[in-house]
Amino acid sequence: MFSRLRLLFSGALLFCLMPFNLFGYEVIFTRISTSEGLSSNFVNCVAQSADGYIWVGTKNGLQRYDGYQFTQTYRSRSSERLPALPVDQILPAGNPEQLWLKMGQTIGLFNTNDYTFQKIDISKLMTLTEKYMLELFRDARGNTYLIIKDFGIFVYNAKNRAFEKNLSVLTYDEDWRPSSMKQDKEGNLWIGGIKGLGCYHIKDQKFYTSQYNPRELTALKLAKGIGFISNFSMDDKDRIFVHTWLNYKDFILYLLDLRKNKAEIISYEKEEGSIYHDFIGSTQKRGIIWGYGERTFNIFDEKTRRFLKFYNPRNSLKGIRVNHVYQVFEDRDKNIWVATDNGLYIASVLEDKVRNGNIPYFGDSDITNVKKLSANRLIFTSWGNKVSIQQYDNALGLTGLPEITKAIYKAMPVNDKNYMQVWDALEIEDDHELWMACQAGRLIRYHFLTQKSEFINAPQFGNSTTRTLCLDRYKQLWFGTQQGYLIRKKRGGDFEFITNLKNAISRIYEDKQGNLWVATDGRGLFLFDQKTGRPVKNYTQNVQGRGLSTNHISDMILLNDSILAISCSANLDLLNLKTGKIKQITAYDGLPQRVVISLQTDDRGYLWMGTIGGVCRYDPKNQVFRMYDKRDGLTDIAGNASLMNKTAKLSTGNLVFSSEKDFVIFNPEYLSKSFKPANVTITDFKLFDKYLLVDSILKEGGIHLKHDQNFISISFAALSYTQSNKLRYYYKLGGASKDWVRAENVLSANFASLSPGVYTFMVKAQNSNGVFSPEITSLTINIAPAFWQTWWFLMLILLISAIPFYIIYRLRIRRLLEVQMIREKVARDLHDDVGSTLTSINILSEMASLKLDENQSTAKDYLSRISANSSQMMESMDDIVWSIKPDNDNLIRIAARMREYTASVLEPQNIDYSFQSGEITRNIKFTMDDRRHFFLIFKEALNNISKYAAAGFVDISLNLTHTSVVLRIKDNGQGFDVNNANSGNGLTNMARRAELLKGNLKITSAAGQGTEIRLEIRMK
């Protein structure tokens, strides 16, 4: 995805360091291709809409880019959908929600909200547009122009939705045959054409040319004689770059310098080996004049006043490989976008904060180390091609000092090439000496004052390659070799063999407390006593995870007064010098790359690391990591040769990291700068597999969904094209969760099977320093319940569910009332029958006791009446008990009771009777009240017969029909006149009870003919 353009060094360093040149800045390019979602690598144009999106026009149509992913724009199904055509030009319109699009001969306004396209009718100009090329232009006054190259310019009329001639906006000579159009700082419109360069003056509303120049415009004076203009551009230094095709054959590039009142022909550089090339345009972006075209991509050099090529297309890792550059565009974040036939490129101009380079002098030899020297110098060592000493400045400029290298090796033994293979270097400033550790135990001791070297082959080294050097506070030199030999040289003394650690010594380091640490590639970390030369402690890998991550150590550095940072072949280890405990920093702690190779600290206490993924910074206070890549100006890792395995800190505070082939110098303050992330933008809203218009949703303040529309996907981005890979995103769905979730890999949140309710989707961005975006972006999502989930439906269900309980309740109340009524009725009956009878018995008893001595016959009469009342009371009690008992509700029991009562009433009076009940089944049931009323009618009838009828025989029948129960009582007594009979309580009660039974009571009687009572009750 990434490729780098590196500018050339200037002056004396031109042949030894390639990345810097006389431009004074470095340009880093990031390539975006079809691998990242671009629909086609043939990119024609780029623009940015008011809401911050980047819009890309390709041979395969229009796409929207948010810094993370591309979005297709061909979604609308309406008649105003965007035509599926290649997009040649994109131009912002006056409406922030619209963009002008040119697609061949099709021109129109594209709505960035709903993706609809409003085609502008240019049918009247079709005869022209079929022959000529088209271009759109918009001025600062809001006018949009259609340039039909080599023919004319037309102004857009929004009312008529057409491009028309408008002399009140623009006039020019009819024979001008315009090709391009620009606007200067005063608002004047400049037009290039076959006739040359002309100016439409806004105040005068006149068109001036070199032949008609009453205002004495300098540009028109300088442009005199220049014709066949194909394109031109203006910069902020009052210069005009004019591209001409003289007679359509010969290309000439002019520079009109208005401040110097000078016109000159300037040159440009084409791609090497190209037969056909074309310089089609130039533009000023980020203060740089870019020239581009077919096999041409240049930057204007202010010193030589010519366009120069600034990249190496043959370098696939660090160059840009394109045949055609169509447009150079600058976004609001000052990023430069380059539309090419090999994808879309983002360019970052680094100026003097980051410099990348290599040492061509080393040839195929690898860089083995880099160390800081005094007097603003640094030294690069190599395996096979000596050393290179450079002078650096605050602007990260390097100047080679080849004379020092030449002096160092002036007296090198001819037959010993081991001195050319240098692994480390160390300067002893007090002695003005430079020590270099070489292959096979060789050492070089160079004295800066005498400019002479001493080539040493000490026997203590046993021909073992010296890998590392260290000078302690006692001015003792310590040497570590590939074989594990630890050797010391006291100041003024000889070399002293200390010990053999059996494994290669990778680093020797003295901390601020004077502790001497020796790192090995296999036996962990040793702490040595500098005076005695004896090991004090050995830190190794521990299976319980309490020791080092591994025993293979590549580097170490003091992070602060008490923490020693150690890089192993896995993880980052922090050794607490006070407690002796080791903390392993792993991926679970945020370490982005598991293998750390080199370590360096800056003035702010940050720890910078060379890892297998590139340079990484660690903030120990906030425990935050940040990776750096080409977008920050640092090289990407492309194999072992590009691993940043060595590092140094310069006196200016700048840091140097080197790999086997390259190095980078950077200002850590610059790379540590952290911009507050922009507020997050919701880029897409997808319901199931259908995209909805986000802008419409946001304008409505949220979205309302049905109960079954509960599977949604929300995409988001901060629309930052410089920090896009440095931001972390967190989101949560209020109403469903209280926890923030970090978005991993894909910037979208998916929610499935959401229950009806009101939710608030919230999202925020965080930069590498832990700073969040100013505001939390939110979106309200209202999922309506189904009708069976609404409150009124639930209330209805509750109501319906409560009805049975209510009915049961009412039945229970009714039953209780019935019981209560029964109780009251029983009490009333007891009071009426039993109470009155007992009262009568009591009165008669007192009267009998008074008359017992005076008149025994009267007393006897009272006692007889007491006996009768007592019998009546017992009978009433029996009736009450019988009427209450549920077992007596069937007709069989009623008939039995009637038969029993008949015998008790008629037999004592010697009245014959007949009682016929026919066939009665148990299915016939009476309620308690109906049974009582029925029986009391029967009882009243018998009582009347026994008292008043003087009958000798009574015929009783109880029969069933299909629908009724029929009771018939007939006697042969004296009878009575029904019409003139006294309707006492007995007959009245019988009639009332028959009415309560909803039955039919009929009494038939006549004097001397007996009486017949017939009661018919319909069965329920």
Side-chain angles (χ1 to χ4, degrees), residues 865-888:
R865 292 168 64 183
I866 289 173
S867 174
N869 288 337
S870 298
S871 299
Q872 183 182 356
M873 182 183 67
M874 292 175 63
E875 183 181 345
S876 298
M877 287 293 293
D878 185 57
D879 289 343
I880 293 171
V881 172
W882 179 83
S883 64
I884 293 175
K885 192 173 183 181
D887 292 343
N888 297 323

Side-chain angles (χ1 to χ4, degrees), residues 881-949:
V881 172
W882 179 83
S883 64
I884 293 175
K885 192 173 183 181
D887 292 343
N888 297 323
D889 288 346
N890 61 76
L891 194 55
I892 293 176
R893 291 291 185 92
I894 297 173
R897 176 69 174 175
M898 294 168 64
R899 191 184 302 273
E900 179 184 347
Y901 185 76
T902 301
S904 65
V905 172
L906 300 181
E907 288 180 0
Q909 298 188 29
N910 296 319
I911 300 174
D912 295 330
Y913 65 91
S914 170
F915 194 106
Q916 297 177 358
S917 58
E919 295 182 0
I920 300 174
T921 65
R922 289 182 178 271
N923 292 331
I924 305 303
K925 288 275 189 179
F926 279 80
T927 65
M928 183 181 69
D929 286 340
D930 290 348
R931 173 164 51 90
R932 181 171 177 271
H933 293 318
F934 183 77
F935 182 74
L936 290 178
I937 292 173
F938 173 75
K939 183 178 178 182
E940 186 67 29
L942 287 186
N943 287 335
N944 288 338
I945 291 173
S946 66
K947 292 180 180 180
Y948 311 114

Side-chain angles (χ1 to χ4, degrees), residues 550-562:
T550 73
N551 289 326
H552 302 275
I553 301 174
S554 59
D555 202 359
M556 56 186 161
I557 195 168
L558 199 65
L559 189 56
N560 53 49
D561 292 340
S562 60

Side-chain angles (χ1 to χ4, degrees), residues 64-280:
R64 190 192 72 184
Y65 185 56
D66 60 19
Y68 292 88
Q69 62 182 359
F70 287 91
T71 301
Q72 296 296 333
T73 56
Y74 302 94
R75 296 177 180 175
S76 176
R77 298 291 182 181
S78 69
S79 59
E80 295 184 337
R81 64 185 179 181
L82 178 66
L85 297 171
V87 178
D88 307 318
Q89 186 183 4
I90 308 173
L91 189 70
N95 187 335
E97 298 178 354
Q98 290 182 326
L99 294 173
W100 281 103
L101 298 184
K102 181 177 80 70
M103 299 170 286
Q105 307 301 315
T106 301
I107 295 175
L109 288 165
F110 174 73
N111 190 303
T112 59
N113 289 347
D114 57 17
Y115 293 175
T116 56
F117 181 75
Q118 178 185 335
K119 184 179 178 180
I120 304 303
D121 184 14
I122 56 173
S123 58
K124 294 180 180 179
L125 308 175
M126 284 302 293
T127 55
L128 306 176
T129 59
E130 288 175 355
K131 181 179 178 181
Y132 302 100
M133 296 178 62
L134 308 179
E135 183 179 350
L136 292 168
F137 176 77
R138 183 174 176 81
D139 65 18
R141 295 180 296 171
N143 297 311
T144 302
Y145 305 84
L146 174 61
I147 305 169
I148 302 179
K149 295 192 175 184
D150 222 17
F151 182 82
I153 301 175
F154 300 86
V155 184
Y156 179 65
N157 186 324
K159 183 178 180 180
N160 298 332
R161 293 178 59 183
F163 285 97
E164 305 168 342
K165 286 283 187 179
N166 190 337
L167 300 180
S168 64
V169 176
L170 176 67
T171 61
Y172 57 90
D173 294 350
E174 288 296 328
D175 61 347
W176 202 251
R177 296 172 63 184
S179 60
S180 57
M181 187 175 182
K182 299 292 185 293
Q183 188 172 31
D184 63 20
K185 292 179 288 187
E186 286 76 27
N188 301 316
L189 296 174
W190 293 79
I191 302 174
I194 295 297
K195 294 291 186 178
L197 185 66
C199 174
Y200 175 73
H201 201 276
I202 295 296
K203 292 182 179 180
D204 298 347
Q205 294 187 352
K206 293 182 179 181
F207 186 69
Y208 299 133
T209 67
S210 297
Q211 289 72 33
Y212 175 66
N213 188 15
R215 275 188 168 269
E216 297 290 321
L217 299 177
T218 303
L220 297 181
K221 291 181 180 180
L222 296 176
K224 189 173 184 179
I226 299 176
F228 292 90
I229 296 177
S230 60
N231 206 341
F232 69 96
S233 65
M234 298 176 166
D235 70 1
D236 58 4
K237 295 181 180 179
D238 296 328
R239 296 180 300 189
I240 304 176
F241 296 84
V242 183
H243 329 129
T244 69
W245 277 100
L246 186 61
N247 296 320
Y248 300 106
K249 296 179 180 179
D250 301 322
F251 176 81
I252 301 177
L253 183 59
Y254 293 92
L255 172 59
L256 310 181
D257 193 326
L258 277 62
R259 295 180 183 177
K260 295 182 179 180
N261 196 22
K262 179 181 180 181
E264 58 183 313
I265 296 176
I266 59 176
S267 63
Y268 68 94
E269 290 185 344
K270 64 179 181 177
E271 197 66 57
E272 291 182 8
S274 62
I275 298 176
Y276 176 79
H277 58 90
D278 184 11
F279 192 101
I280 65 172

